[in-house]
Amino acid sequence: VEKAKFLYSAGFSLTVSPESMLTVAKHAAETGKYYMINLAAPFICQFFKDPLLKLFPYVDFIFGNESEARTFAQVQGWETEDTKVIAVKMAALPKASGTHK
């Protein structure tokens, strides 16, 4: 973790250790590293919504397929299934450390 410039987590890790994911995500933000997460499955967006949202301020790249994106949007109450709109809304979520240049 200390030597890495890019840190990646699968959303499935939220099912067992959201605290460790948050620790790594915060480390990335504090040290100018990139933190990436994969939504992993629609149920992660549904049943692990709160820990997922705690991570988002520290996330630089989000990976997900159409069903994961649509589920995330539905859970957030965004009333759209257009994945382009969802991607823009996800990118506009607040960042703890600003953005990378």
Side-chain angles (χ1 to χ4, degrees):
V1 171
E2 292 297 327
K3 293 180 181 180
K5 293 182 182 178
F6 298 90
L7 302 162
Y8 174 87
S9 298
F12 292 121
S13 298
L14 287 171
T15 66
V16 293
S17 189
E19 299 85 11
S20 63
M21 290 179 71
L22 189 57
T23 298
V24 170
K26 285 181 178 181
H27 167 78
E30 292 166 358
T31 58
K33 299 174 182 185
Y34 292 88
Y35 184 73
M36 300 169 274
I37 187 168
N38 188 322
L39 296 176
F43 82 89
I44 297 293
C45 300
Q46 292 172 310
F47 302 112
F48 296 90
K49 173 184 129 181
D50 292 337
L52 181 61
L53 287 178
K54 284 183 184 178
L55 283 175
F56 266 50
Y58 307 99
V59 174
D60 296 297
F61 295 94
I62 303 166
F63 299 91
N65 63 33
E66 290 89 352
S67 64
E68 294 159 359
R70 288 183 180 119
T71 301
F72 182 86
Q74 180 185 32
V75 169
Q76 298 308 308
W78 288 351
E79 297 186 13
T80 184
E81 291 198 3
D82 184 329
T83 54
K84 291 177 184 175
V85 171
I86 295 166
V88 169
K89 289 175 95 54
M90 285 177 143
L93 291 171
K95 288 280 292 166
S97 62
T99 59
H100 287 280
K101 294 181 180 183

